[in-house]
PDB file of all heavy atoms in Angstrom:
ATOM      1  N   ASP A   1      -0.769  -3.141  -7.421  1.00 82.00           N
ATOM      2  CA  ASP A   1      -1.551  -4.224  -6.817  1.00 82.00           C
ATOM      3  C   ASP A   1      -0.726  -5.049  -5.839  1.00 82.00           C
ATOM      4  O   ASP A   1      -1.227  -6.016  -5.254  1.00 82.00           O
ATOM      5  CB  ASP A   1      -2.150  -5.128  -7.895  1.00 82.00           C
ATOM      6  CG  ASP A   1      -1.083  -5.810  -8.733  1.00 82.00           C
ATOM      7  OD1 ASP A   1       0.043  -5.268  -8.826  1.00 82.00           O
ATOM      8  OD2 ASP A   1      -1.368  -6.888  -9.293  1.00 82.00           O
ATOM      9  N   PHE A   2       0.533  -4.683  -5.638  1.00 85.00           N
ATOM     10  CA  PHE A   2       1.367  -5.340  -4.638  1.00 85.00           C
ATOM     11  C   PHE A   2       0.726  -5.232  -3.258  1.00 85.00           C
ATOM     12  O   PHE A   2       0.838  -6.133  -2.413  1.00 85.00           O
ATOM     13  CB  PHE A   2       2.756  -4.689  -4.642  1.00 85.00           C
ATOM     14  CG  PHE A   2       3.740  -5.279  -3.684  1.00 85.00           C
ATOM     15  CD1 PHE A   2       4.265  -6.552  -3.889  1.00 85.00           C
ATOM     16  CD2 PHE A   2       4.165  -4.574  -2.574  1.00 85.00           C
ATOM     17  CE1 PHE A   2       5.181  -7.099  -3.002  1.00 85.00           C
ATOM     18  CE2 PHE A   2       5.079  -5.106  -1.691  1.00 85.00           C
ATOM     19  CZ  PHE A   2       5.589  -6.374  -1.910  1.00 85.00           C
ATOM     20  N   ALA A   3       0.001  -4.125  -3.033  1.00 82.00           N
ATOM     21  CA  ALA A   3      -0.661  -3.905  -1.744  1.00 82.00           C
ATOM     22  C   ALA A   3      -1.800  -4.890  -1.502  1.00 82.00           C
ATOM     23  O   ALA A   3      -2.145  -5.179  -0.348  1.00 82.00           O
ATOM     24  CB  ALA A   3      -1.191  -2.473  -1.673  1.00 82.00           C
ATOM     25  N   LYS A   4      -2.391  -5.424  -2.570  1.00 82.00           N
ATOM     26  CA  LYS A   4      -3.487  -6.378  -2.398  1.00 82.00           C
ATOM     27  C   LYS A   4      -3.002  -7.685  -1.775  1.00 82.00           C
ATOM     28  O   LYS A   4      -3.748  -8.352  -1.067  1.00 82.00           O
ATOM     29  CB  LYS A   4      -4.141  -6.666  -3.753  1.00 82.00           C
ATOM     30  CG  LYS A   4      -4.824  -5.458  -4.380  1.00 82.00           C
ATOM     31  CD  LYS A   4      -5.455  -5.821  -5.716  1.00 82.00           C
ATOM     32  CE  LYS A   4      -6.120  -4.621  -6.364  1.00 82.00           C
ATOM     33  NZ  LYS A   4      -6.714  -4.943  -7.693  1.00 82.00           N
ATOM     34  N   GLU A   5      -1.760  -8.032  -2.051  1.00 81.00           N
ATOM     35  CA  GLU A   5      -1.210  -9.279  -1.531  1.00 81.00           C
ATOM     36  C   GLU A   5      -0.672  -9.110  -0.119  1.00 81.00           C
ATOM     37  O   GLU A   5      -0.911  -9.950   0.752  1.00 81.00           O
ATOM     38  CB  GLU A   5      -0.092  -9.788  -2.446  1.00 81.00           C
ATOM     39  CG  GLU A   5       0.582 -11.063  -1.984  1.00 81.00           C
ATOM     40  CD  GLU A   5      -0.363 -12.250  -2.007  1.00 81.00           C
ATOM     41  OE1 GLU A   5      -1.198 -12.346  -2.933  1.00 81.00           O
ATOM     42  OE2 GLU A   5      -0.276 -13.097  -1.087  1.00 81.00           O
ATOM     43  N   PHE A   6       0.033  -8.015   0.145  1.00 84.00           N
ATOM     44  CA  PHE A   6       0.716  -7.848   1.422  1.00 84.00           C
ATOM     45  C   PHE A   6       0.063  -6.815   2.336  1.00 84.00           C
ATOM     46  O   PHE A   6       0.533  -6.616   3.459  1.00 84.00           O
ATOM     47  CB  PHE A   6       2.178  -7.444   1.175  1.00 84.00           C
ATOM     48  CG  PHE A   6       3.002  -8.533   0.560  1.00 84.00           C
ATOM     49  CD1 PHE A   6       3.123  -8.640  -0.815  1.00 84.00           C
ATOM     50  CD2 PHE A   6       3.655  -9.467   1.345  1.00 84.00           C
ATOM     51  CE1 PHE A   6       3.875  -9.637  -1.392  1.00 84.00           C
ATOM     52  CE2 PHE A   6       4.411 -10.477   0.781  1.00 84.00           C
ATOM     53  CZ  PHE A   6       4.522 -10.569  -0.591  1.00 84.00           C
ATOM     54  N   GLY A   7      -1.000  -6.175   1.888  1.00 84.00           N
ATOM     55  CA  GLY A   7      -1.637  -5.150   2.698  1.00 84.00           C
ATOM     56  C   GLY A   7      -1.018  -3.791   2.437  1.00 84.00           C
ATOM     57  O   GLY A   7       0.183  -3.695   2.172  1.00 84.00           O
ATOM     58  N   SER A   8      -1.829  -2.752   2.497  1.00 81.00           N
ATOM     59  CA  SER A   8      -1.356  -1.412   2.132  1.00 81.00           C
ATOM     60  C   SER A   8      -0.233  -0.931   3.044  1.00 81.00           C
ATOM     61  O   SER A   8       0.758  -0.340   2.579  1.00 81.00           O
ATOM     62  CB  SER A   8      -2.521  -0.420   2.169  1.00 81.00           C
ATOM     63  OG  SER A   8      -3.116  -0.399   3.456  1.00 81.00           O
ATOM     64  N   GLU A   9      -0.356  -1.171   4.355  1.00 84.00           N
ATOM     65  CA  GLU A   9       0.665  -0.674   5.284  1.00 84.00           C
ATOM     66  C   GLU A   9       1.987  -1.409   5.099  1.00 84.00           C
ATOM     67  O   GLU A   9       3.051  -0.787   5.022  1.00 84.00           O
ATOM     68  CB  GLU A   9       0.175  -0.831   6.724  1.00 84.00           C
ATOM     69  CG  GLU A   9       1.149  -0.266   7.751  1.00 84.00           C
ATOM     70  CD  GLU A   9       0.604  -0.335   9.166  1.00 84.00           C
ATOM     71  OE1 GLU A   9      -0.581  -0.705   9.335  1.00 84.00           O
ATOM     72  OE2 GLU A   9       1.368  -0.029  10.103  1.00 84.00           O
ATOM     73  N   LYS A  10       1.935  -2.730   5.015  1.00 85.00           N
ATOM     74  CA  LYS A  10       3.169  -3.503   4.871  1.00 85.00           C
ATOM     75  C   LYS A  10       3.831  -3.247   3.521  1.00 85.00           C
ATOM     76  O   LYS A  10       5.059  -3.091   3.439  1.00 85.00           O
ATOM     77  CB  LYS A  10       2.866  -5.003   5.021  1.00 85.00           C
ATOM     78  CG  LYS A  10       4.113  -5.884   5.051  1.00 85.00           C
ATOM     79  CD  LYS A  10       4.952  -5.605   6.281  1.00 85.00           C
ATOM     80  CE  LYS A  10       6.153  -6.516   6.363  1.00 85.00           C
ATOM     81  NZ  LYS A  10       6.971  -6.258   7.572  1.00 85.00           N
ATOM     82  N   SER A  11       3.033  -3.203   2.465  1.00 86.00           N
ATOM     83  CA  SER A  11       3.604  -2.955   1.137  1.00 86.00           C
ATOM     84  C   SER A  11       4.233  -1.565   1.056  1.00 86.00           C
ATOM     85  O   SER A  11       5.275  -1.381   0.428  1.00 86.00           O
ATOM     86  CB  SER A  11       2.536  -3.116   0.054  1.00 86.00           C
ATOM     87  OG  SER A  11       1.513  -2.141   0.210  1.00 86.00           O
ATOM     88  N   SER A  12       3.596  -0.587   1.713  1.00 86.00           N
ATOM     89  CA  SER A  12       4.155   0.759   1.732  1.00 86.00           C
ATOM     90  C   SER A  12       5.509   0.770   2.438  1.00 86.00           C
ATOM     91  O   SER A  12       6.465   1.412   1.969  1.00 86.00           O
ATOM     92  CB  SER A  12       3.186   1.716   2.427  1.00 86.00           C
ATOM     93  OG  SER A  12       3.743   3.001   2.520  1.00 86.00           O
ATOM     94  N   ASP A  13       5.599   0.039   3.556  1.00 87.00           N
ATOM     95  CA  ASP A  13       6.872  -0.039   4.289  1.00 87.00           C
ATOM     96  C   ASP A  13       7.955  -0.699   3.439  1.00 87.00           C
ATOM     97  O   ASP A  13       9.112  -0.260   3.431  1.00 87.00           O
ATOM     98  CB  ASP A  13       6.686  -0.817   5.591  1.00 87.00           C
ATOM     99  CG  ASP A  13       5.831  -0.072   6.606  1.00 87.00           C
ATOM    100  OD1 ASP A  13       5.686   1.151   6.458  1.00 87.00           O
ATOM    101  OD2 ASP A  13       5.306  -0.716   7.535  1.00 87.00           O
ATOM    102  N   ILE A  14       7.585  -1.762   2.718  1.00 89.00           N
ATOM    103  CA  ILE A  14       8.569  -2.490   1.890  1.00 89.00           C
ATOM    104  C   ILE A  14       9.083  -1.604   0.755  1.00 89.00           C
ATOM    105  O   ILE A  14      10.287  -1.540   0.489  1.00 89.00           O
ATOM    106  CB  ILE A  14       7.950  -3.787   1.338  1.00 89.00           C
ATOM    107  CG1 ILE A  14       7.676  -4.775   2.476  1.00 89.00           C
ATOM    108  CG2 ILE A  14       8.876  -4.431   0.301  1.00 89.00           C
ATOM    109  CD1 ILE A  14       6.948  -6.031   2.041  1.00 89.00           C
ATOM    110  N   LEU A  15       8.156  -0.909   0.075  1.00 88.00           N
ATOM    111  CA  LEU A  15       8.568  -0.057  -1.040  1.00 88.00           C
ATOM    112  C   LEU A  15       9.371   1.156  -0.566  1.00 88.00           C
ATOM    113  O   LEU A  15      10.297   1.604  -1.245  1.00 88.00           O
ATOM    114  CB  LEU A  15       7.342   0.392  -1.833  1.00 88.00           C
ATOM    115  CG  LEU A  15       6.616  -0.717  -2.598  1.00 88.00           C
ATOM    116  CD1 LEU A  15       5.376  -0.172  -3.294  1.00 88.00           C
ATOM    117  CD2 LEU A  15       7.544  -1.377  -3.611  1.00 88.00           C
ATOM    118  N   GLU A  16       9.028   1.677   0.616  1.00 88.00           N
ATOM    119  CA  GLU A  16       9.818   2.770   1.185  1.00 88.00           C
ATOM    120  C   GLU A  16      11.234   2.294   1.504  1.00 88.00           C
ATOM    121  O   GLU A  16      12.215   3.025   1.293  1.00 88.00           O
ATOM    122  CB  GLU A  16       9.146   3.318   2.446  1.00 88.00           C
ATOM    123  CG  GLU A  16       7.933   4.185   2.169  1.00 88.00           C
ATOM    124  CD  GLU A  16       7.295   4.709   3.441  1.00 88.00           C
ATOM    125  OE1 GLU A  16       7.876   4.478   4.534  1.00 88.00           O
ATOM    126  OE2 GLU A  16       6.235   5.354   3.364  1.00 88.00           O
ATOM    127  N   ALA A  17      11.338   1.058   2.020  1.00 89.00           N
ATOM    128  CA  ALA A  17      12.668   0.502   2.287  1.00 89.00           C
ATOM    129  C   ALA A  17      13.448   0.320   0.995  1.00 89.00           C
ATOM    130  O   ALA A  17      14.658   0.596   0.939  1.00 89.00           O
ATOM    131  CB  ALA A  17      12.527  -0.838   3.019  1.00 89.00           C
ATOM    132  N   PHE A  18      12.768  -0.126  -0.060  1.00 92.00           N
ATOM    133  CA  PHE A  18      13.427  -0.282  -1.370  1.00 92.00           C
ATOM    134  C   PHE A  18      13.997   1.047  -1.854  1.00 92.00           C
ATOM    135  O   PHE A  18      15.162   1.135  -2.262  1.00 92.00           O
ATOM    136  CB  PHE A  18      12.419  -0.840  -2.380  1.00 92.00           C
ATOM    137  CG  PHE A  18      12.913  -0.842  -3.802  1.00 92.00           C
ATOM    138  CD1 PHE A  18      13.781  -1.827  -4.248  1.00 92.00           C
ATOM    139  CD2 PHE A  18      12.506   0.141  -4.700  1.00 92.00           C
ATOM    140  CE1 PHE A  18      14.243  -1.832  -5.563  1.00 92.00           C
ATOM    141  CE2 PHE A  18      12.954   0.141  -6.008  1.00 92.00           C
ATOM    142  CZ  PHE A  18      13.832  -0.851  -6.441  1.00 92.00           C
ATOM    143  N   ASN A  19      13.184   2.094  -1.777  1.00 89.00           N
ATOM    144  CA  ASN A  19      13.639   3.412  -2.234  1.00 89.00           C
ATOM    145  C   ASN A  19      14.768   3.947  -1.371  1.00 89.00           C
ATOM    146  O   ASN A  19      15.720   4.553  -1.872  1.00 89.00           O
ATOM    147  CB  ASN A  19      12.468   4.397  -2.232  1.00 89.00           C
ATOM    148  CG  ASN A  19      11.538   4.197  -3.414  1.00 89.00           C
ATOM    149  OD1 ASN A  19      11.984   3.919  -4.522  1.00 89.00           O
ATOM    150  ND2 ASN A  19      10.243   4.317  -3.189  1.00 89.00           N
ATOM    151  N   ALA A  20      14.667   3.728  -0.049  1.00 90.00           N
ATOM    152  CA  ALA A  20      15.703   4.230   0.853  1.00 90.00           C
ATOM    153  C   ALA A  20      17.035   3.533   0.611  1.00 90.00           C
ATOM    154  O   ALA A  20      18.084   4.187   0.518  1.00 90.00           O
ATOM    155  CB  ALA A  20      15.264   4.042   2.311  1.00 90.00           C
ATOM    156  N   VAL A  21      17.000   2.217   0.482  1.00 92.00           N
ATOM    157  CA  VAL A  21      18.243   1.466   0.313  1.00 92.00           C
ATOM    158  C   VAL A  21      18.879   1.772  -1.035  1.00 92.00           C
ATOM    159  O   VAL A  21      20.099   1.916  -1.145  1.00 92.00           O
ATOM    160  CB  VAL A  21      17.981  -0.052   0.460  1.00 92.00           C
ATOM    161  CG1 VAL A  21      19.223  -0.855   0.096  1.00 92.00           C
ATOM    162  CG2 VAL A  21      17.568  -0.378   1.884  1.00 92.00           C
ATOM    163  N   ARG A  22      18.073   1.886  -2.095  1.00 91.00           N
ATOM    164  CA  ARG A  22      18.639   2.155  -3.413  1.00 91.00           C
ATOM    165  C   ARG A  22      19.242   3.562  -3.496  1.00 91.00           C
ATOM    166  O   ARG A  22      20.126   3.811  -4.310  1.00 91.00           O
ATOM    167  CB  ARG A  22      17.598   1.962  -4.514  1.00 91.00           C
ATOM    168  CG  ARG A  22      16.503   2.984  -4.583  1.00 91.00           C
ATOM    169  CD  ARG A  22      15.588   2.714  -5.775  1.00 91.00           C
ATOM    170  NE  ARG A  22      16.320   2.874  -7.019  1.00 91.00           N
ATOM    171  CZ  ARG A  22      16.361   4.015  -7.713  1.00 91.00           C
ATOM    172  NH1 ARG A  22      15.742   5.092  -7.250  1.00 91.00           N
ATOM    173  NH2 ARG A  22      17.024   4.078  -8.841  1.00 91.00           N
ATOM    174  N   LYS A  23      18.792   4.470  -2.650  1.00 88.00           N
ATOM    175  CA  LYS A  23      19.336   5.821  -2.666  1.00 88.00           C
ATOM    176  C   LYS A  23      20.553   5.971  -1.751  1.00 88.00           C
ATOM    177  O   LYS A  23      21.485   6.698  -2.064  1.00 88.00           O
ATOM    178  CB  LYS A  23      18.250   6.819  -2.253  1.00 88.00           C
ATOM    179  CG  LYS A  23      17.133   6.939  -3.277  1.00 88.00           C
ATOM    180  CD  LYS A  23      15.947   7.710  -2.740  1.00 88.00           C
ATOM    181  CE  LYS A  23      14.818   7.781  -3.767  1.00 88.00           C
ATOM    182  NZ  LYS A  23      13.594   8.413  -3.223  1.00 88.00           N
ATOM    183  N   LEU A  24      20.532   5.271  -0.622  1.00 91.00           N
ATOM    184  CA  LEU A  24      21.628   5.406   0.337  1.00 91.00           C
ATOM    185  C   LEU A  24      22.728   4.375   0.125  1.00 91.00           C
ATOM    186  O   LEU A  24      23.853   4.556   0.608  1.00 91.00           O
ATOM    187  CB  LEU A  24      21.085   5.286   1.767  1.00 91.00           C
ATOM    188  CG  LEU A  24      20.013   6.300   2.175  1.00 91.00           C
ATOM    189  CD1 LEU A  24      19.564   6.050   3.603  1.00 91.00           C
ATOM    190  CD2 LEU A  24      20.520   7.726   2.027  1.00 91.00           C
ATOM    191  N   GLY A  25      22.413   3.306  -0.591  1.00 92.00           N
ATOM    192  CA  GLY A  25      23.376   2.224  -0.752  1.00 92.00           C
ATOM    193  C   GLY A  25      24.533   2.547  -1.675  1.00 92.00           C
ATOM    194  O   GLY A  25      25.484   1.758  -1.761  1.00 92.00           O
ATOM    195  N   VAL A  26      24.496   3.697  -2.350  1.00 93.00           N
ATOM    196  CA  VAL A  26      25.586   4.030  -3.278  1.00 93.00           C
ATOM    197  C   VAL A  26      26.911   4.182  -2.550  1.00 93.00           C
ATOM    198  O   VAL A  26      27.979   3.939  -3.126  1.00 93.00           O
ATOM    199  CB  VAL A  26      25.259   5.316  -4.074  1.00 93.00           C
ATOM    200  CG1 VAL A  26      24.206   5.061  -5.110  1.00 93.00           C
ATOM    201  CG2 VAL A  26      24.834   6.440  -3.132  1.00 93.00           C
ATOM    202  N   VAL A  27      26.873   4.588  -1.279  1.00 91.00           N
ATOM    203  CA  VAL A  27      28.128   4.738  -0.552  1.00 91.00           C
ATOM    204  C   VAL A  27      28.761   3.372  -0.310  1.00 91.00           C
ATOM    205  O   VAL A  27      29.993   3.231  -0.320  1.00 91.00           O
ATOM    206  CB  VAL A  27      27.895   5.501   0.776  1.00 91.00           C
ATOM    207  CG1 VAL A  27      27.121   4.662   1.780  1.00 91.00           C
ATOM    208  CG2 VAL A  27      29.220   5.962   1.369  1.00 91.00           C
ATOM    209  N   VAL A  28      27.932   2.334  -0.127  1.00 93.00           N
ATOM    210  CA  VAL A  28      28.458   0.963  -0.007  1.00 93.00           C
ATOM    211  C   VAL A  28      29.077   0.547  -1.338  1.00 93.00           C
ATOM    212  O   VAL A  28      30.165  -0.056  -1.379  1.00 93.00           O
ATOM    213  CB  VAL A  28      27.332  -0.011   0.406  1.00 93.00           C
ATOM    214  CG1 VAL A  28      27.864  -1.445   0.478  1.00 93.00           C
ATOM    215  CG2 VAL A  28      26.721   0.401   1.727  1.00 93.00           C
ATOM    216  N   ALA A  29      28.387   0.861  -2.424  1.00 94.00           N
ATOM    217  CA  ALA A  29      28.923   0.549  -3.751  1.00 94.00           C
ATOM    218  C   ALA A  29      30.258   1.244  -3.979  1.00 94.00           C
ATOM    219  O   ALA A  29      31.188   0.667  -4.549  1.00 94.00           O
ATOM    220  CB  ALA A  29      27.918   0.957  -4.829  1.00 94.00           C
ATOM    221  N   ALA A  30      30.385   2.496  -3.522  1.00 92.00           N
ATOM    222  CA  ALA A  30      31.624   3.246  -3.709  1.00 92.00           C
ATOM    223  C   ALA A  30      32.780   2.599  -2.952  1.00 92.00           C
ATOM    224  O   ALA A  30      33.900   2.477  -3.471  1.00 92.00           O
ATOM    225  CB  ALA A  30      31.439   4.689  -3.244  1.00 92.00           C
ATOM    226  N   ILE A  31      32.523   2.169  -1.724  1.00 91.00           N
ATOM    227  CA  ILE A  31      33.571   1.528  -0.918  1.00 91.00           C
ATOM    228  C   ILE A  31      34.018   0.224  -1.564  1.00 91.00           C
ATOM    229  O   ILE A  31      35.220  -0.073  -1.631  1.00 91.00           O
ATOM    230  CB  ILE A  31      33.058   1.290   0.517  1.00 91.00           C
ATOM    231  CG1 ILE A  31      32.834   2.634   1.219  1.00 91.00           C
ATOM    232  CG2 ILE A  31      34.042   0.433   1.309  1.00 91.00           C
ATOM    233  CD1 ILE A  31      32.181   2.519   2.565  1.00 91.00           C
TER     234      ILE A  31
END
């Protein structure tokens, strides 16, 4: 229901960014 507050397109972009950063950010954690 996060999409009801922020709209389907915007919420999709935010959640995609969350997934991308949590997967790629491990190299920052390693450094």
Side-chain angles (χ1 to χ4, degrees):
D1 62 335
F2 181 70
K4 295 180 181 178
E5 178 66 37
F6 292 91
S8 58
E9 183 176 353
K10 187 65 177 181
S11 64
S12 177
D13 291 341
I14 293 175
L15 292 177
E16 285 180 6
F18 171 79
N19 283 321
V21 172
R22 71 177 295 267
K23 292 169 182 174
L24 301 179
V26 287
V27 70
V28 178
I31 293 173

